[in-house]
Amino acid sequence: MPTTTVAYADVAGLAGTDLGYSEWLEVTQDRVDTFADATDDHQWIHVDPVRAADGPFGAPIAHGFLSLSLAVKFWSELLEVDGVTTKVNYGLDKVRFISPVKVGSRVRMNAVIAEVTEVAGGYQLAVDQTIEIDGGAKPAVVARGLYRFYA
């Protein structure tokens, strides 16, 4: 799906906009291992494919926070605001890790702008984000992302 591009002056009217879906991304063992190194979380269910094959998920899985962090990449694929000097990830609300992401799975994100609020010098967007697993019955992550845009 192409990126939605809007002018900064039009941000206030984006509430209710479904931005569609990002591109699919394969979650590789290398990505999981790199995240494990960055966070010092080397639990075997993430980084030991042989042991994880006999574990509760039948394969190594991505860290929940790795799956969540992909929202940054996916978000940048879905919305571009022209005339902005600064973009800030302001926070998250109501994060849930619904289903584990097995290594080798593909994920993508759908984003719907739930609210737009004026803040000092800019706008804050509350975005309902669903990171889904290709062929999965349930999503990997459901969260409300908070993003700020300043002119």
Side-chain angles (χ1 to χ4, degrees), residues 56-144:
F57 306 108
I61 60 169
H63 305 72
F65 284 109
L66 167 56
S67 300
L68 175 62
S69 72
L70 294 174
V72 176
K73 174 197 177 356
F74 295 145
W75 176 240
S76 68
E77 293 178 17
L78 295 175
L79 181 66
E80 182 64 37
V81 179
D82 289 335
V84 172
T85 60
T86 306
K87 298 182 264 185
V88 177
N89 296 318
Y90 187 70
L92 295 160
D93 287 337
K94 302 179 187 175
V95 178
R96 298 292 181 266
F97 302 113
I98 308 297
S99 296
V101 176
K102 293 181 182 180
V103 168
S105 297
R106 295 187 326 152
V107 294
R108 70 179 180 178
M109 185 173 83
N110 171 253
V112 177
I113 300 172
E115 299 172 11
V116 178
T117 309
E118 196 166 348
V119 296
Y123 292 101
Q124 177 172 297
L125 281 64
V127 182
D128 291 333
Q129 303 170 145
T130 303
I131 297 176
E132 63 181 41
I133 305 166
D134 192 9
K138 295 180 180 179
V141 180
V142 176
R144 179 168 279 196

